[in-house]
Amino acid sequence: MFYDIVIVGGGLAGMRAAIAAHDAGVKVGLISKIHPVRSHSGAAQGGVNAALANHPAAKDDTPERHAYDTIKGSDFLADQPAVEIMTSDAPGIIFEFEHWGCPFSRFEDGTIAQRPFGGAGYPRTCYGADRTGLYMLHTLYEQVVKRKIDVHYEMFVTKLAVKGGRCAGVIAMNLHTGEFQAIGANAVVFATGGSGRIYSVNTTNAHASTGLGVAIPYWAGVPLEDMEFIQFHPTGLEGSSILMTEGCRGEGGYLINNKGERFMKNYVSEKIMELAPRDITARSMQTEINEGRGFEGRYLHLDLRHLGAQKIMERLPGIREICMNFLSIDPINDPIPVHPAMHYTMGGIECDKDGLTRMDGLYAAGECACVSVHGSNRLGGNSLLDTVVFGRRCGNHAANKVKNMSQTIDTDTLKSAQKAEEERFKKLRTAAGKENPYTIKNDLSNVMMDKYGIFRNETDMKKGLEEIKALKEKFKQVRGIPDTGKFNYDFLWVTEIEGNLDAAYCVALGALSRTESRGSHFRRDYSKRVDEQWLKHTLFTYKPDGPEISYKPVQLGKYQPEERKY
Amino acid sequence: MPTFKVFRYNPKTGDQAYFQTYQLPDVKGMTILEGLYYILENLDSTLAFRSSCRMGVCGSCAMHIGDKYRLACETQIADIGDTVTIRPLAHMKIIRDLVVDLTPFFAQYEAIKPYLIPVGEPPTREFKQSPAQRSKIDIYVDCILCAACYGSCPVVATDEKYLGPQALLKALRFVNDSRDGATNDRLSYLATDYGVFRCHTIFNCQQVCPKNLDPTGAIGKLKMKSLIAKFTGKLKKIG
């Protein structure tokens, strides 16, 4: 099989890249381990930011103001030129979605409805009830169907085929057949999503959102960037950590401690309250819980009751449904028990504003990529925007690049890469070890949550690093994988765990090395931001005995770093 | 302690399909999907089932649980009982265990032109759509393509050409959209032999839809619209 461009991942970034490249006139193949409509982009709830100035209170909103909020939210670690691209492309790309039929909610005047979100100076988050990601994802899939773009779903990519530093395609297990397949391409786009499942005990993320997407390029020598920055969403549902959208607070919901107090007033100005950025809100909540002002020592209340039944049913119907199905409570009558939960990886595959990585022919877009537009803390409503803006740019750039290239399929490279994967699978099948891989997965996520959570310190992180290394050793002794033929999910999940281990290693080492606090990365032993030393991105390069760390400067622009106050 | 009786089938072994019994721990609030993961991780890693978001929005894990089709992720074991029987979706080829071949389901989805066909060039900003106009597509845009309706429909069972409840519901989503300009073309296609009038109004889809979207009602609305279009001479000849 050969395509001009192969896209790995069928979420918003992958499908938007596919559409851009297809419309630019090249042959595109979209590959995903799950059907595109199953992608975790669809679980995004609250909305997508664009300075449309539709809200009566946002008539003077502009992309520049959106850029400033994003840069300040990032604690000045975002690359400012990239942020400006994102915020200035935002209105156009949202209108394009609307023209494709995306069912946004509406204001009375018929324009796209917008709501306030954390860290934003204006209500600029466009939404479709609390199912914005679902609507955007399905809209893009509709456009993929319309264009008859080739979609190979349930094809599980495990390796890049590389020759002389150039990416020649990917190797995937076709779950429908149980066989490996090589797919050649002149350009490969990685759009595999975030790595949330390295924190699987407490994450809002889907089972499919693992570290393998960043690990595959990393293993092939492509650097990862800023992996230590892990976003904790303030409101994960107690127990399952299912996302309770920031839109709950955007619509006016309160956070309440066991004293019945809206405690956010003790952390930020009374004007901001529950709509502080996520890093600050999550830290404030965790402080409340740690200091004994939580319920049952574990959670706080997200109270929507004062919004009234009509508003809840109209604006937050999905939240209500989840509460009823999973906890048998109704937010119209009951407060929702919530705690911070791992939500987003700001870091990822190092790439530029066009998605170019350091490997010739390899691009990255979406959550698996680090452009970087989110720096050390992403604002709510900016992730959907990131996926589609940079997905589109990446698809366009790749298409222009490969347009005049001959379809020279590098059969030797592909064949030998496929053979290597077949050999590896054979070894996994006949492995004589005794370790249960899923125990390793669960142990890893406990280490990550305990040692690299909202509050970090050197002693714990050093211990955590040793634990991760030990789990990596254990993984070498993992039990054999039964050869079930078609849909060998055991093979899939065990491979994901291997990716999780190395993605987690980067998170851990990056966090331990960065002796400051910035955005989502907060250290009790280094609680101040130190721009003189740390206004720089961390890079991770794969070495067999652990990641090699280096740094690169942040691209500043109009805005000089200042103290971040809300 | 809950017991799962799970449908097993692997064409590779040449064996007949069978039910396998697993004992699960008693955990308050545990969902069917968490139970399946417990089996995969601790008891039997050969069990195949689809899943992803585990929060009722990706549509991967529709299966027959107890007495009807449900999403495994948003169903608590306690709501089903001590013994839970789990089968794959019906009317599609079983590939392995709980995984079925969704090709016919997606083929019907594609057949109805599931994308907006606007009239003329779009404006520079958004198409204006009032909240009242937007409310006409409420709920129909919430479909997660889980195929529970398709698996439950006895017409689908006997007629593979029938578009089925999901595709028809999706069609209404566009017919009702104030921005779509292809209503008569859409109705002309839907009013053919394998479209809306093939529905026997059995209500299975309405009963099982995990998002309460009422495909039966949607098909009823399309029947009405098709008839009106027919009697006002707006239907086009198809095929």
Side-chain angles (χ1 to χ4, degrees):
Chain A
M1 215 190 315
F2 183 90
Y3 288 98
D4 292 319
I5 300 177
V6 157
I7 289 157
V8 184
L12 284 175
M15 287 203 284
R16 193 61 195 80
I19 290 167
H22 171 91
D23 290 354
V26 302
K27 184 77 181 150
V28 180
L30 183 78
I31 299 178
S32 176
K33 67 185 176 190
I34 50 182
H35 190 283
V37 299
R38 314 295 183 215
S39 304
H40 204 52
S41 304
Q45 298 170 341
V48 53
N49 296 337
L52 305 185
N54 285 349
H55 194 288
K59 289 299 173 199
D60 56 343
D61 195 12
T62 61
E64 289 73 36
R65 291 184 179 176
H66 182 185
Y68 173 72
D69 288 343
T70 301
I71 292 160
K72 183 180 170 191
S74 81
D75 221 348
F76 296 90
L77 194 73
D79 288 324
Q80 297 188 16
V83 173
E84 288 185 353
I85 287 172
M86 180 173 82
T87 62
S88 55
D89 280 5
I93 210 157
I94 295 307
F95 291 140
E96 181 182 68
F97 262 90
E98 199 280 334
H99 297 158
W100 286 343
C102 187
F104 289 111
S105 296
R106 300 289 171 154
F107 282 140
E108 281 304 322
D109 66 357
T111 59
I112 295 169
Q114 297 186 280
R115 60 167 50 126
F117 244 45
Y122 291 85
R124 71 165 72 92
T125 305
C126 311
Y127 65 92
D130 55 358
R131 300 191 173 99
T132 317
L134 177 75
Y135 297 159
M136 290 176 72
L137 184 74
H138 281 243
T139 300
L140 278 196
Y141 185 63
E142 291 159 19
Q143 293 299 314
V144 164
V145 167
K146 182 181 177 188
R147 288 165 174 73
K148 299 187 176 17
I149 292 171
D150 282 2
V151 176
H152 303 275
Y153 65 91
E154 297 174 324
M155 279 265 256
F156 175 50
V157 170
T158 58
K159 193 183 172 67
L160 295 178
V162 183
K163 190 188 175 190
R166 188 180 157 68
C167 185
V170 295
I171 310 303
M173 179 187 265
N174 184 342
L175 296 176
H176 289 263
T177 62
E179 307 283 334
F180 282 97
Q181 250 177 284
I183 303 106
N186 281 335
V188 172
V189 176
F190 256 55
T192 54
S195 309
R197 280 281 152 178
I198 61 180
Y199 287 79
S200 61
V201 283
N202 180 17
T203 177
T204 62
N205 283 201
H207 288 283
S209 302
T210 74
L212 186 65
V214 296
I216 290 171
Y218 171 67
W219 290 329
V222 180
L224 304 184
E225 180 178 339
D226 290 346
M227 292 293 285
E228 64 269 37
F229 298 105
I230 299 289
Q231 178 162 84
F232 286 82
H233 196 288
T235 54
L237 193 62
E238 203 272 314
S240 60
S241 304
I242 290 173
L243 177 65
M244 295 285 107
T245 174
E246 190 162 310
C248 293
R249 286 169 285 134
E251 293 296 344
Y254 298 152
L255 290 171
I256 307 279
N257 64 16
N258 70 7
K259 310 251 180 271
E261 185 187 25
R262 279 179 74 190
F263 57 84
M264 284 306 293
K265 68 175 190 302
N266 303 325
Y267 300 91
V268 291
S269 76
E270 299 230 1
K271 209 177 121 218
I272 302 289
M273 292 298 278
E274 282 85 357
L275 286 178
R278 288 177 179 172
D279 55 341
I280 294 170
T281 311
R283 270 198 295 280
S284 309
M285 290 174 70
Q286 197 59 49
T287 303
E288 292 293 305
I289 294 169
N290 292 351
E291 292 179 359
R293 292 186 293 279
F295 298 90
E296 298 181 59
R298 294 200 307 276
Y299 59 89
L300 295 156
H301 279 160
L302 170 61
D303 199 340
L304 307 181
R305 290 175 295 182
H306 57 287
L307 303 180
Q310 197 195 340
K311 196 168 188 183
I312 292 172
M313 289 197 286
E314 188 186 301
R315 307 270 177 92
L316 303 163
I319 289 301
R320 181 166 180 247
E321 185 188 293
I322 291 168
C323 289
M324 293 167 103
N325 285 335
F326 287 86
L327 285 184
S328 313
I329 60 164
D330 183 346
I332 291 172
N333 306 315
D334 316 292
I336 308 170
V338 292
H339 53 62
M342 186 282 166
H343 184 57
Y344 189 85
T345 42
M346 267 72 72
I349 304 161
E350 186 211 11
C351 68
D352 74 359
K353 61 193 190 331
D354 293 309
L356 282 162
T357 72
R358 293 197 191 190
M359 179 184 280
D360 192 16
L362 181 72
Y363 291 75
E367 192 176 338
C368 72
C370 184
V371 175
S372 148
V373 284
H374 308 303
S376 62
N377 173 61
R378 175 175 69 75
L379 291 189
N382 270 351
S383 63
L384 292 181
L385 183 61
D386 167 14
T387 61
V388 294
V389 165
F390 292 101
R392 180 169 72 176
R393 287 183 69 87
C394 175
N396 278 328
H397 193 279
N400 286 329
K401 183 124 189 252
V402 303
K403 222 170 215 171
N404 300 314
M405 286 167 76
S406 60
Q407 297 206 339
T408 42
I409 182 159
D410 186 347
T411 317
D412 291 348
T413 302
L414 289 167
K415 264 196 179 152
S416 71
Q418 181 177 340
K419 199 156 189 298
E421 279 308 86
E422 282 163 355
E423 286 299 317
R424 192 175 68 82
F425 182 42
K426 202 170 156 191
K427 268 193 201 146
L428 284 171
R429 285 203 312 256
T430 53
K434 292 263 180 290
E435 297 292 341
N436 179 346
Y438 301 106
T439 308
I440 296 174
K441 178 197 81 172
N442 294 329
D443 289 351
L444 176 71
S445 72
N446 280 319
V447 172
M448 296 312 287
M449 206 50 229
D450 292 348
K451 311 288 186 346
Y452 308 94
I454 293 175
F455 294 108
R456 303 168 171 181
N457 70 74
E458 180 170 303
T459 317
D460 281 352
M461 287 196 288
K462 274 191 167 156
K463 219 190 274 169
L465 204 55
E466 291 313 308
E467 289 167 350
I468 292 169
K469 285 183 199 166
L471 288 170
K472 275 173 66 75
E473 282 307 308
K474 247 188 184 177
F475 189 81
K476 291 179 185 160
Q477 301 303 321
V478 79
R479 58 139 172 89
I481 294 173
D483 185 11
T484 50
K486 296 172 179 180
F487 283 89
N488 192 335
Y489 278 117
D490 195 29
F491 169 70
L492 182 143
W493 293 124
V494 174
T495 309
E496 308 269 15
I497 292 165
E498 195 173 7
N500 282 348
L501 284 164
D502 274 348
Y505 201 154
C506 292
V507 174
L509 196 60
L512 180 61
S513 305
R514 187 176 281 273
T515 50
E516 67 156 354
S517 289
R518 183 185 296 273
S520 65
H521 171 66
F522 190 89
R523 291 184 57 150
R524 291 214 190 268
D525 45 355
Y526 296 93
S527 58
K528 292 269 173 303
R529 193 179 85 195
V530 187
D531 288 333
E532 303 73 47
Q533 196 189 347
W534 288 110
L535 189 62
K536 58 189 181 186
H537 298 291
T538 314
L539 294 177
F540 305 84
T541 309
Y542 176 76
K543 299 283 168 209
D545 52 353
E548 183 182 274
I549 285 200
S550 56
Y551 294 95
K552 71 170 187 180
V554 173
Q555 294 178 42
L556 293 173
K558 281 185 201 140
Y559 308 104
Q560 284 306 307
E562 61 192 16
E563 197 194 343
R564 193 163 155 249
K565 270 193 185 154
Y566 289 95
Chain B
M1 284 211 322
T3 302
F4 275 22
K5 283 171 69 179
V6 185
F7 179 92
R8 303 298 310 269
Y9 171 67
N10 188 351
K12 194 181 159 95
T13 62
D15 295 339
Q16 290 272 319
Y18 60 99
F19 281 91
Q20 189 160 354
T21 302
Y22 301 98
Q23 295 296 329
L24 279 83
D26 217 342
V27 181
K28 187 173 178 278
M30 194 185 217
T31 63
I32 301 292
L33 184 65
E34 286 166 348
L36 292 173
Y37 269 102
Y38 181 86
I39 295 170
L40 173 85
E41 297 190 354
N42 301 289
L43 306 177
D44 184 352
S45 72
T46 68
L47 181 65
F49 58 93
R50 288 187 173 110
S51 76
S52 187
C53 76
R54 64 83 174 88
M55 54 186 275
V57 73
C58 80
S60 299
C61 65
M63 46 189 83
H64 195 273
I65 298 164
D67 55 345
K68 68 172 194 176
Y69 294 93
R70 306 165 189 270
L71 294 181
C73 68
E74 59 178 27
T75 305
Q76 294 185 30
I77 298 172
D79 291 338
I80 305 297
D82 287 342
T83 301
V84 182
T85 306
I86 302 174
R87 302 177 174 87
L89 286 169
H91 315 330
M92 286 166 280
K93 211 176 128 203
I94 296 162
I95 303 175
R96 191 163 84 75
D97 296 345
L98 300 171
V99 178
V100 302
D101 182 2
L102 290 161
T103 309
F105 171 74
F106 281 110
Q108 303 298 14
Y109 166 89
E110 288 179 22
I112 60 108
K113 297 191 177 163
Y115 41 83
L116 193 80
I117 304 176
V119 203
E121 283 302 298
T124 37
R125 292 180 64 94
E126 66 268 64
F127 286 109
K128 293 284 173 66
Q129 185 175 51
S130 70
Q133 287 172 321
R134 171 61 174 77
S135 73
K136 294 230 166 19
I137 56 172
D138 275 2
I139 81 168
Y140 305 124
V141 294
D142 292 345
C143 174
I144 58 172
L145 292 168
C146 70
C149 58
Y150 196 78
S152 77
C153 174
V155 182
V156 168
T158 55
D159 187 348
E160 62 180 18
K161 287 186 180 163
Y162 172 48
L163 286 169
Q166 194 289 323
L168 293 171
L169 177 126
K170 182 86 179 174
L172 181 64
R173 175 249 172 279
F174 291 106
V175 166
N176 271 4
D177 194 319
S178 60
R179 300 166 293 177
D180 193 84
T183 299
N184 290 330
D185 289 344
R186 292 184 189 280
L187 291 177
S188 303
Y189 181 72
L190 300 174
T192 47
D193 285 357
Y194 301 102
V196 288
F197 297 106
R198 184 65 78 199
C199 167
H200 295 186
T201 324
I202 296 157
F203 292 104
N204 279 13
C205 56
Q206 187 203 57
Q207 262 179 19
V208 301
C209 176
K211 302 291 124 183
N212 297 314
L213 307 184
D214 189 12
T216 317
I219 297 168
K221 287 186 177 135
L222 283 172
K223 284 178 177 169
M224 191 82 88
K225 284 175 190 287
S226 303
L227 287 173
I228 293 169
K230 183 172 173 61
F231 294 128
T232 52
K234 286 183 185 144
L235 281 196
K236 297 175 182 172
K237 199 131 184 96
I238 300 275

